[in-house]
């Protein structure tokens, strides 16, 4: 039987996305009441990260430990995927030893190729196209803070990047209103947006792209931002910084949003670049609640894919 994977949010069935967000909140409550479980006792996740990480790597390792399992870190330079051996052979070999492969790669196609050959679940831990686990943790946070995702307005200020894509996909599935404010040339891909819009038609959500960040935040429940220069884009740093001037989440922008509007960031943040220290010190800045939820959202993914929970 073919395993289930989590390769992106946009192509996932809506019921599955909603179930994962709810499960994440339940798992967090269970953990707070009863501590670690043994649900993944004897199970192992292989963690393959081509790009740096703090949150994702730590939370996957801790998620395995807190559910009775363990993880093994694969060093990309020693494995040298596609050079020392083919993706086919690596995926087939790993599938004989471990119960799940967690992969952070540059290309989306590499995660998909791993999944194609693996007979164990593959989880996207961030690619250039999507960051599904981040969006699930954000969804869990909204559920906790608002009681529901439906009808929430998220204003994403900045680059139409991997994080924006997964959040827009979440919005499409869960009936949220997503507004992206970005400079010209940094919109989300048209093919991706047609999928988001198709989801919105069914869920009652909406998608809008504007130039003016002040217009974007007018009715926002949450302002979301992310770095202007994603991992792998270092060569474009100077040019991108110039173009994103004016897309900073600062006190003036926050003042243009409703008084109850929260602010978050997937982290790592570049202080006084995409977000100011002042906003980061505000009680409305809830990024660490979202970061905490990475642990539980990923437990929900691991338990669902490995154990069918
Ligand atoms: N937000 C996030 O994925 O953080 P890391 O890059 O540190 O894993
Ligand atoms: N957009 C960022 C997210 C980091 C978690 C990047 O890809 O570098």
């Amino acid at each position: 039987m073919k395993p289930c994977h989590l390769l992106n949010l946009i192509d996932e069935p809506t019921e599955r996305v909603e179930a994962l967000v709810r499960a994440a909140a339940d798992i967090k409550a269970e953990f707070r009441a009863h501590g670690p479980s043994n649900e993944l006792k004897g199970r192992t996740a292989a963690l393959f990260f081509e790009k740096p990480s703090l949150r994702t790597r730590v939370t996957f390792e801790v998620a395995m430990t807190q559910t009775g399992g363990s993880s093994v870190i694969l060093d990309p330079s020693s494995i040298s995927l596609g050079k020392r051996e083919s993706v086919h052979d690596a995926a087939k070999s790993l599938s004989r030893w471990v119960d799940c492969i967690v992969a952070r790669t540059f290309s989306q196609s590499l995660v998909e190729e791993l999944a194609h050959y693996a007979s164990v679940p593959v989880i996207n831990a961030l690619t250039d196209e999507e960051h599904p686990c981040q969006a699930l943790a954000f969804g869990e946070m909204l559920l906790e803070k608002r009681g529901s995702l439906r009808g929430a307005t998220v204003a994403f200020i900045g680059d139409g990047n991997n994080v924006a894509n997964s959040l827009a996909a979440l919005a499409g599935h869960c009936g949220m209103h997503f507004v992206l404010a970005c400079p010209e040339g940094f919109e989300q891909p048209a093919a991706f947006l047609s999928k988001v819009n198709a989801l919105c038609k069914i869920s009652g959500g909406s998608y809008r792209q504007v130039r003016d960040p002040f217009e974007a935040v007018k009715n926002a429940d949450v302002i979301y931002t992310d770095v202007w220069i994603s991992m792998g884009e270092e060569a474009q740093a100077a040019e991108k910084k110039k173009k994103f001037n004016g897309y900073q989440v600062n006190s003036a922008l926050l003042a243009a949003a409703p008084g109850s509007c929260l602010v978050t960031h997937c982290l790592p943040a570049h202080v006084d670049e995409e977000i100011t220290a002042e906003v980061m010190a505000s009680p409305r800045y809830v990024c660490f609640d979202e970061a905490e939820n990475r642990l539980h959202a990923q437990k929900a993914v691991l338990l669902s894919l490995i154990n069918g929970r």
Side-chain angles (χ1 to χ4, degrees):
M1 209 174 74
K2 284 221 164 261
C4 261
H5 307 287
L6 180 69
L7 304 181
N8 61 32
L9 276 199
I10 193 71
D11 298 316
E12 280 294 302
T14 290
E15 316 79 68
R16 197 148 166 255
V17 173
E18 289 178 332
L20 284 171
V21 171
R22 277 196 308 272
D26 292 347
I27 287 166
K28 181 174 174 180
E30 281 167 28
F31 181 74
R32 286 190 169 177
H34 308 294
S37 78
N38 264 326
E39 287 169 275
L40 294 178
K41 191 169 183 330
R43 306 301 193 105
T44 307
L47 308 189
F48 174 76
F49 280 55
E50 281 187 337
K51 298 176 178 177
S53 170
L54 171 67
R55 277 147 291 276
T56 310
R57 187 179 140 170
V58 171
T59 49
F60 268 110
E61 280 201 70
V62 175
M64 287 307 292
T65 308
Q66 288 183 352
T67 48
S70 58
S71 38
V72 52
I73 309 292
L74 309 177
D75 170 13
S77 63
S78 124
I79 290 170
S80 194
L81 206 54
K83 292 193 192 90
R84 184 167 181 269
E85 69 182 314
S86 66
V87 177
H88 170 278
D89 286 4
K92 293 269 180 210
S93 300
L94 283 168
S95 299
R96 299 293 179 108
W97 310 314
V98 302
D99 301 281
C100 170
I101 301 169
V102 176
R104 170 170 285 195
T105 60
F106 288 91
S107 74
Q108 176 72 22
S109 61
L110 179 51
V111 170
E112 285 171 9
E113 200 182 342
L114 279 168
H116 180 73
Y117 295 122
S119 52
V120 296
V122 173
I123 299 172
N124 174 350
L126 181 147
T127 64
D128 288 348
E129 283 180 26
E130 273 224 35
H131 196 359
C133 297
Q134 188 74 48
L136 292 173
F138 171 72
E140 180 193 345
M141 183 182 73
L142 268 192
L143 188 65
E144 290 164 350
K145 297 207 182 288
R146 277 185 96 245
S148 159
L149 276 65
R150 198 156 300 282
T153 298
V154 181
F156 190 100
I157 311 300
D159 197 5
N161 64 13
N162 45 7
V163 173
N165 285 345
S166 290
L167 293 172
L170 180 82
H173 284 296
C174 299
M176 296 154 63
H177 307 293
F178 187 91
V179 191
L180 170 74
C182 70
E184 200 179 338
F186 297 94
E187 299 83 5
Q188 294 170 272
F192 188 88
L193 291 186
S194 68
K195 290 185 182 181
V196 171
N197 283 320
L199 289 172
C200 285
K201 261 198 190 144
I202 299 167
S203 68
S206 66
Y207 180 90
R208 225 159 36 99
Q209 186 260 306
V210 298
R211 286 280 165 256
D212 180 5
F214 286 86
E215 186 190 335
V217 303
K218 241 189 257 164
N219 298 308
D221 294 297
V222 192
I223 297 173
Y224 207 114
T225 192
D226 184 16
V227 291
W228 293 337
I229 293 107
S230 284
M231 293 177 276
E233 295 184 333
E234 292 73 15
Q236 303 162 45
E239 190 200 335
K240 273 191 105 176
K241 276 186 199 172
K242 262 192 243 151
K243 294 201 168 139
F244 280 86
N245 185 22
Y247 288 85
Q248 185 184 62
V249 176
N250 52 32
S251 298
L253 191 68
L254 195 52
S260 57
C261 180
L262 302 173
V263 183
T264 190
H265 192 305
C266 70
L267 300 173
H270 291 164
V271 187
D272 291 332
E273 212 168 279
E274 74 274 3
I275 187 164
T276 60
E278 200 179 2
V279 171
M280 293 168 90
S282 147
R284 287 153 74 179
Y285 187 52
V286 291
C287 74
F288 297 113
D289 294 333
E290 181 174 333
E292 178 183 352
N293 286 352
R294 295 292 304 276
L295 179 58
H296 306 290
Q298 286 155 208
K299 278 185 200 165
V301 173
L302 291 163
L303 286 167
S304 146
L305 296 182
I306 300 176
N307 250 11
R309 173 177 158 152

